[in-house]
């Protein structure tokens, strides 16, 4: 009896897995999802449910099995059957021509060469081995011959297929080792750093180091929390498939369901390839990764084999490097910013210099340990670097240019802002100011309180915060709710209207949903995601305040650091008094009466305008359908409108405006289709 049921469920589970893999592929590889996140989550939940009821059906390639491997103490070693080589560099087109001349001599005379040109992604090189389509091993490059076994970590990266081909239509090769670069997309890197900063955690220096650090974590759940992706550009050893060229290989990898680099081109002659190299810099502006150049490869594998390897680099490929985004300038002095949690963040004041088109006059020095390690001194000539959108950094000093007048940089003895003592926890590299009411910290605290991700108080930015703190109008964020109109009126930028707007914005923020208030408290490690998680378990600040560390730890997604930090925050009398002050001011401290979050559904994120008489529904019914499925309905057409729903006798203004702005017009039938998730 049970067997029959199992056979039936086995089929269903298999089908659902293929469905989930397909949607995963649409989202992470093609960047073109066909269903909403909510629908995807529902499929995954269904699979988890079935697997919970029938654990014997769980397979290693199930989409539920990406995360959850136990942490490892040491990484194992992996020998690469075909060494993972590095590349020789060219900095000018002349050097590419010289390379061509060198290699042309090594091929039979009259042999024509074709070339491919691909982006050179700056991340971490990895190798993925698939046996009969199943991912059996993932390794780092290491020294090119032996790398580290990081299989559990690489399995957490959603764009790495656990089974190939993703669409299940072709046969997988018996064995294939696929090579590519793991990286963090630039936008995701900036967002990740914003989240870390909001949670009071240290931010990561650049996408490349962040990617490398994430892949080499002993605990794969940390890797899973980082927005990693992969771009696959080649193969090592393979059996059971015929691949004759680089171009064919890239096509094949794509068919198997891998993400391959964008803007890859094939050229019948060298000059075509060189032109593509020169266009690379322009093209790179559209790439979501940092690239330090492009790679020119001889296309044919037969020719590649003939050309062979010298030292660590193949003769059949060369990297055409973009001009370095580095510059040399003087480090004039060292300043210190005091962060929201009291961290002392050293930065360099530089003689202004242009780096990749932007004038830079300050750069981060990370922390005092880093300064010491790199031996950076005040007055030094230094190399500064801008990486993507990231803040410029001081890379290293040019010690050969020293005159002897440079001064060593030491951590201060006192907080440069308030003069109070500082301390450094043993297991951290940062120094902290111990004074909880240090004005610099206070400014950061209030900036955080009013920020978009927290209480979202419009019209109150950095400048206003600093001014109000300086004038003693606010000594903590709760003071915002006690501000008197006559104290603000007349300050710079605060005429009647601006004053009233500000007071109104502050007033409105009292009713923010509980998760925003919890985010705004600025507890270390508690950003908006953790805050939302907490409000699912606690319905008020009081409940959270009284939760023990053990209770907090029982919540999936809350780790020991976060639990300790929350408990520590509420243990402090000062913070409890602050909460009371908020309560007296009428700030919402519980979920009661919170407006329900808008429904999520196929229309999430879309805005509609309705015009004319619809054939089967009233306008109100259509509006209700849209809202119920997660969309928004507004009265007039603007750039933000996603669709104009047109019935009979449409209003001329709405219709013409939509036409002018190129906003798609749909009828009732198409609206119903959209509402069902069909796009
Ligand atoms: S080909 C045998 N192609 O650059 C040649 N490498 O400096 C080496 N890289 O370790 C691999 N994008 O991690 C190749 N399209 C691309 C690449 C690429 C990035 C990295 C790779 C390699 C390093 C060599």
């Amino acid at each position: 009896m049970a067997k029959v049921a199992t056979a039936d469920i086995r089929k269903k589970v298999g089908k659902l897995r293929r469905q989930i893999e397909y949607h995963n592929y649409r989202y992470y590889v093609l960047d073109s999802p066909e269903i909403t996140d909510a629908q995807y989550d529902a499929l995954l939940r269904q699979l988890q449910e079935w697997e919970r009821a029938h654990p014997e059906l769980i397979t290693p390639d199930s989409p539920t099995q990406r995360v959850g491997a136990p942490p490892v103490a040491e990484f194992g070693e992996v020998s690469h059957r075909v060494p993972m080589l590095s590349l020789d560099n060219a900095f000018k087109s002349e050097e590419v021509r010289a390379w061509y001349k060198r290699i042309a001599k090594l091929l039979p005379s009259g042999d024509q060469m074709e070339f491919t040109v691909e982006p050179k992604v700056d991340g971490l090189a990895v190798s993925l081995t698939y046996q009969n389509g199943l991912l059996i091993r993932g390794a780092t490059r290491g020294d090119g011959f032996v790398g580290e076994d990081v299989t559990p970590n690489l399995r957490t990266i959603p764009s790495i297929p656990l089974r190939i081909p993703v669409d299940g239509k072709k046969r997988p090769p018996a064995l294939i080792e696929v090579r590519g670069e793991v990286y963090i997309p630039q936008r995701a890197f900036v967002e990740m750093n914003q989240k870390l900063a909001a949670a009071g955690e240290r931010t990561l220096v650049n996408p490349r180091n962040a990617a490398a650090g994430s892949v080499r974590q002993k605990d794969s759940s940390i890797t899973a929390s980082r927005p990693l992706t992969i771009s696959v550009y080649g193969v090592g050893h393979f059996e059971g498939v015929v691949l004759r060229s680089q171009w064919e290989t890239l096509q094949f990898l794509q068919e198997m369901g891998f993400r391959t680099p964008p803007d890859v081109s094939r050229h019948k002659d060298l000059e075509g390839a060189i032109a593509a190299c020169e266009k690379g810099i322009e093209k790179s502006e559209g790439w979501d990764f940092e690239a330090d150049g492009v790679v020119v490869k001889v296309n044919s594998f037969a020719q590649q084999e003939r050309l062979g390897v010298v030292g660590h680099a193949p003769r059949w490929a060369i990297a055409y490097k973009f001009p370095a985004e580095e510059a040399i300038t003087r480090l004039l002095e060292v300043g210190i910013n005091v962060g929201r949690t009291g961290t002392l963040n050293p930065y360099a004041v530089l003689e202004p210099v242009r780096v990749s088109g932007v004038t830079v006059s300050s750069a981060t020095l990370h922390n005092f340990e880093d300064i010491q390690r790199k031996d950076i001194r005040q007055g030094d000539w230094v190399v500064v670097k801008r990486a993507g959108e990231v803040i410029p950094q001081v890379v290293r000093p040019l010690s050969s240019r020293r005159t002897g007048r440079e001064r060593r940089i030491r951590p201060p003895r006192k907080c440069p802002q308030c003069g109070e003592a500082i301390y450094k926890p043993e297991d951290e590299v940062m120094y902290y100011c111990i004074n909880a009411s240090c004005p610099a910290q206070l400014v950061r605290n209030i900036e955080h309180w009013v920020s978009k991700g927290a209480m979202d108080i419009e019209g109150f930015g950095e400048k206003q915060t600093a001014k109000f703190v300086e004038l003693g109008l606010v000594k903590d964020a709760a003071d915002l709710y006690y501000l008197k109109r006559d104290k603000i009126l007349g300050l710079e930028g605060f005429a009647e209207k601006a004053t009233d707007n500000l007071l109104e914005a502050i007033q409105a923020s009292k009713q923010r949903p509980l998760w925003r208030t919890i985010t705004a408290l600025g507890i270390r490690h508690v950003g908006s995601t953790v805050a939302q998680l907490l409000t699912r378990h606690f319905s008020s600040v009081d409940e959270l305040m009284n939760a023990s560390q053990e209770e907090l730890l029982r919540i999936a997604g809350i780790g020991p650091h976060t639990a300790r930090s929350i408990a520590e925050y509420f243990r402090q009398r000062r913070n409890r008094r602050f909460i009371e002050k908020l309560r007296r001011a009428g700030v919402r401290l519980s979920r009661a009466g919170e407006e329900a979050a808008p429904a999520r559904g196929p229309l999430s994120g879309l805005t509609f305008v309705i015009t004319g008489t619809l054939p089967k529904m009233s306008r109100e019914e259509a509006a209700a359908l849209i809202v119920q499925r997660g969309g928004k309905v507004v009265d007039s057409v603007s750039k933000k409108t996603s669709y104009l729903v047109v019935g009979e006798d449409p209003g001329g203004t709405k219709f013409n405006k939509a036409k002018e702005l190129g906003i798609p017009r749909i009828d009732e039938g198409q609206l119903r289709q959209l509402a069902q998730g069909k796009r």
Side-chain angles (χ1 to χ4, degrees), residues 84-87 89 118-125 141 180-181 233 261 295 297 314 316-317 319:
M84 292 182 79
L85 302 168
S86 54
L87 291 165
N89 295 325
E118 319 165 0
K120 187 167 183 302
V121 184
D122 200 7
L124 178 78
R141 171 173 182 266
E181 204 83 355
Y233 51 71
V295 187
K297 293 178 185 167
W316 46 264

CSV table of all heavy atoms in Angstrom, one decimal, residues 84-87 89 118-125 141 180-181 233 261 295 297 314 316-317 319, ligand 1:
chain,number,residue,atom,x,y,z
A,84,MET,N,45.0,24.6,-13.7
A,84,MET,CA,44.3,25.8,-13.9
A,84,MET,C,45.3,26.9,-14.1
A,84,MET,O,46.0,27.3,-13.1
A,84,MET,CB,43.4,26.1,-12.7
A,84,MET,CG,42.2,25.1,-12.6
A,84,MET,SD,41.1,25.5,-11.3
A,84,MET,CE,40.1,26.8,-12.0
A,85,LEU,N,45.5,27.4,-15.3
A,85,LEU,CA,46.6,28.3,-15.6
A,85,LEU,C,46.2,29.7,-15.4
A,85,LEU,O,45.1,30.1,-15.1
A,85,LEU,CB,47.0,28.1,-17.1
A,85,LEU,CG,47.4,26.7,-17.5
A,85,LEU,CD1,47.5,26.5,-19.0
A,85,LEU,CD2,48.7,26.3,-16.8
A,86,SER,N,47.3,30.6,-15.5
A,86,SER,CA,47.0,32.0,-15.4
A,86,SER,C,47.3,32.6,-16.8
A,86,SER,O,47.5,31.8,-17.7
A,86,SER,CB,47.8,32.7,-14.4
A,86,SER,OG,49.1,32.4,-14.6
A,87,LEU,N,47.2,33.9,-17.0
A,87,LEU,CA,47.3,34.5,-18.3
A,87,LEU,C,48.4,35.5,-18.4
A,87,LEU,O,48.7,36.2,-17.4
A,87,LEU,CB,46.0,35.2,-18.7
A,87,LEU,CG,44.7,34.4,-18.9
A,87,LEU,CD1,43.5,35.2,-18.9
A,87,LEU,CD2,44.8,33.6,-20.2
A,89,ASN,N,49.8,39.0,-19.9
A,89,ASN,CA,49.1,40.3,-20.1
A,89,ASN,C,49.6,41.1,-21.3
A,89,ASN,O,50.8,41.1,-21.5
A,89,ASN,CB,49.2,41.2,-18.8
A,89,ASN,CG,48.6,40.5,-17.6
A,89,ASN,OD1,47.6,39.9,-17.8
A,89,ASN,ND2,49.2,40.7,-16.5
A,118,GLU,N,36.6,37.7,-24.7
A,118,GLU,CA,35.6,37.5,-23.6
A,118,GLU,C,36.0,38.5,-22.5
A,118,GLU,O,37.2,38.8,-22.4
A,118,GLU,CB,35.7,36.1,-23.0
A,118,GLU,CG,35.8,35.0,-24.0
A,118,GLU,CD,36.2,33.7,-23.4
A,118,GLU,OE1,36.4,33.6,-22.2
A,118,GLU,OE2,36.4,32.8,-24.2
A,119,PRO,N,35.1,38.9,-21.7
A,119,PRO,CA,35.4,39.7,-20.5
A,119,PRO,C,36.3,38.9,-19.6
A,119,PRO,O,36.2,37.7,-19.5
A,119,PRO,CB,34.1,40.0,-19.8
A,119,PRO,CG,33.0,39.5,-20.7
A,119,PRO,CD,33.6,38.6,-21.7
A,120,LYS,N,37.2,39.6,-18.9
A,120,LYS,CA,38.0,39.0,-17.9
A,120,LYS,C,37.4,39.4,-16.5
A,120,LYS,O,37.6,40.4,-16.0
A,120,LYS,CB,39.4,39.4,-18.0
A,120,LYS,CG,40.4,38.7,-17.0
A,120,LYS,CD,41.8,38.9,-17.4
A,120,LYS,CE,42.8,38.1,-16.5
A,120,LYS,NZ,42.7,38.4,-15.1
A,121,VAL,N,36.6,38.5,-16.0
A,121,VAL,CA,35.9,38.7,-14.8
A,121,VAL,C,36.8,38.7,-13.6
A,121,VAL,O,37.7,37.8,-13.5
A,121,VAL,CB,34.8,37.6,-14.5
A,121,VAL,CG1,34.0,38.0,-13.3
A,121,VAL,CG2,33.9,37.5,-15.7
A,122,ASP,N,36.8,39.7,-12.7
A,122,ASP,CA,37.7,39.7,-11.6
A,122,ASP,C,37.0,39.1,-10.4
A,122,ASP,O,36.3,39.9,-9.6
A,122,ASP,CB,38.2,41.1,-11.4
A,122,ASP,CG,39.5,41.2,-10.6
A,122,ASP,OD1,40.0,40.1,-10.3
A,122,ASP,OD2,39.9,42.3,-10.2
A,123,GLY,N,37.1,37.9,-10.2
A,123,GLY,CA,36.5,37.2,-9.0
A,123,GLY,C,37.4,36.1,-8.5
A,123,GLY,O,38.6,36.3,-8.4
A,124,LEU,N,36.9,35.0,-8.3
A,124,LEU,CA,37.7,33.8,-7.8
A,124,LEU,C,37.5,32.7,-8.7
A,124,LEU,O,36.3,32.3,-9.0
A,124,LEU,CB,37.2,33.5,-6.4
A,124,LEU,CG,37.9,32.3,-5.7
A,124,LEU,CD1,39.2,32.7,-5.2
A,124,LEU,CD2,37.0,31.7,-4.6
A,125,ALA,N,38.6,32.1,-9.2
A,125,ALA,CA,38.5,31.0,-10.2
A,125,ALA,C,38.1,29.7,-9.5
A,125,ALA,O,38.7,29.4,-8.5
A,125,ALA,CB,39.8,30.8,-10.9
A,141,ARG,N,41.0,27.4,-7.3
A,141,ARG,CA,42.2,27.2,-8.2
A,141,ARG,C,43.4,26.8,-7.4
A,141,ARG,O,44.2,26.0,-7.8
A,141,ARG,CB,42.4,28.5,-9.0
A,141,ARG,CG,43.7,28.5,-9.7
A,141,ARG,CD,43.7,29.8,-10.6
A,141,ARG,NE,44.9,29.8,-11.4
A,141,ARG,CZ,46.0,30.4,-11.0
A,141,ARG,NH1,46.1,31.0,-9.9
A,141,ARG,NH2,47.1,30.4,-11.8
A,180,GLY,N,35.1,28.5,-14.1
A,180,GLY,CA,34.5,29.9,-14.2
A,180,GLY,C,35.0,30.7,-13.0
A,180,GLY,O,35.8,30.3,-12.2
A,181,GLU,N,34.4,31.9,-13.0
A,181,GLU,CA,34.8,32.9,-12.0
A,181,GLU,C,33.6,33.1,-11.1
A,181,GLU,O,32.5,33.5,-11.6
A,181,GLU,CB,35.2,34.1,-12.7
A,181,GLU,CG,36.1,35.0,-12.0
A,181,GLU,CD,37.6,34.6,-12.1
A,181,GLU,OE1,37.9,33.6,-12.7
A,181,GLU,OE2,38.4,35.4,-11.5
A,233,TYR,N,33.5,30.1,-18.2
A,233,TYR,CA,34.2,30.4,-19.5
A,233,TYR,C,35.0,29.3,-20.1
A,233,TYR,O,35.7,29.5,-21.1
A,233,TYR,CB,35.1,31.7,-19.3
A,233,TYR,CG,36.0,31.6,-18.1
A,233,TYR,CD1,37.1,30.7,-18.2
A,233,TYR,CD2,35.8,32.3,-17.0
A,233,TYR,CE1,38.0,30.5,-17.1
A,233,TYR,CE2,36.7,32.1,-15.9
A,233,TYR,CZ,37.8,31.3,-16.0
A,233,TYR,OH,38.6,31.1,-14.9
A,261,PRO,N,29.9,34.4,-19.9
A,261,PRO,CA,30.1,35.9,-19.9
A,261,PRO,C,29.3,36.6,-21.0
A,261,PRO,O,29.0,36.0,-22.0
A,261,PRO,CB,31.6,36.0,-20.1
A,261,PRO,CG,32.1,34.7,-20.0
A,261,PRO,CD,31.1,33.7,-20.2
A,295,VAL,N,39.9,38.8,-22.5
A,295,VAL,CA,40.8,37.8,-22.8
A,295,VAL,C,40.6,37.4,-24.3
A,295,VAL,O,39.5,37.2,-24.8
A,295,VAL,CB,40.5,36.5,-22.0
A,295,VAL,CG1,41.6,35.4,-22.2
A,295,VAL,CG2,40.4,36.8,-20.5
A,297,LYS,N,41.4,34.6,-27.0
A,297,LYS,CA,41.8,33.2,-27.1
A,297,LYS,C,41.8,32.7,-28.5
A,297,LYS,O,41.0,33.1,-29.3
A,297,LYS,CB,40.8,32.3,-26.3
A,297,LYS,CG,40.8,32.6,-24.8
A,297,LYS,CD,39.8,31.7,-24.1
A,297,LYS,CE,39.7,32.2,-22.6
A,297,LYS,NZ,38.6,31.6,-21.9
A,314,PRO,N,49.2,29.7,-20.8
A,314,PRO,CA,49.1,29.1,-22.2
A,314,PRO,C,49.6,30.1,-23.2
A,314,PRO,O,49.4,31.3,-23.0
A,314,PRO,CB,47.6,28.8,-22.3
A,314,PRO,CG,46.9,29.8,-21.5
A,314,PRO,CD,47.8,30.1,-20.3
A,316,TRP,N,48.1,30.2,-26.1
A,316,TRP,CA,47.0,30.4,-26.9
A,316,TRP,C,46.0,31.5,-26.4
A,316,TRP,O,45.0,31.7,-27.0
A,316,TRP,CB,46.2,29.1,-27.2
A,316,TRP,CG,46.0,28.3,-25.9
A,316,TRP,CD1,46.7,27.2,-25.5
A,316,TRP,CD2,44.9,28.4,-25.0
A,316,TRP,NE1,46.2,26.7,-24.3
A,316,TRP,CE2,45.1,27.4,-24.0
A,316,TRP,CE3,43.8,29.3,-24.9
A,316,TRP,CZ2,44.2,27.3,-22.9
A,316,TRP,CZ3,43.0,29.1,-23.8
A,316,TRP,CH2,43.2,28.1,-22.8
A,317,ALA,N,46.4,32.1,-25.3
A,317,ALA,CA,45.5,33.2,-24.8
A,317,ALA,C,46.3,34.3,-24.3
A,317,ALA,O,47.4,34.1,-23.8
A,317,ALA,CB,44.6,32.6,-23.7
A,319,ALA,N,45.7,38.2,-21.9
A,319,ALA,CA,44.7,39.1,-21.3
A,319,ALA,C,45.1,40.5,-21.8
A,319,ALA,O,46.2,40.9,-21.7
A,319,ALA,CB,44.8,39.0,-19.8
B,1,LIG,S1,40.9,31.6,-19.3
B,1,LIG,C1,44.1,29.2,-19.4
B,1,LIG,N1,38.9,33.3,-19.5
B,1,LIG,O1,41.7,35.2,-15.1
B,1,LIG,C2,43.7,30.5,-19.2
B,1,LIG,N2,40.2,33.2,-17.5
B,1,LIG,O2,44.6,35.7,-15.0
B,1,LIG,C3,43.1,30.9,-18.0
B,1,LIG,N3,39.5,34.8,-15.8
B,1,LIG,O3,42.7,32.3,-13.4
B,1,LIG,C4,41.6,30.8,-18.0
B,1,LIG,N4,37.8,35.6,-16.9
B,1,LIG,O4,40.4,33.0,-13.0
B,1,LIG,C5,39.9,32.8,-18.7
B,1,LIG,N5,37.1,34.7,-19.7
B,1,LIG,C6,38.1,34.2,-19.0
B,1,LIG,C7,38.4,34.7,-17.7
B,1,LIG,C8,39.5,34.2,-17.0
B,1,LIG,C9,38.5,35.7,-15.8
B,1,LIG,C10,40.5,34.6,-14.7
B,1,LIG,C11,40.7,33.2,-14.4
B,1,LIG,C12,42.2,33.0,-14.4
B,1,LIG,C13,42.7,34.4,-14.4
B,1,LIG,C14,44.0,34.5,-15.2
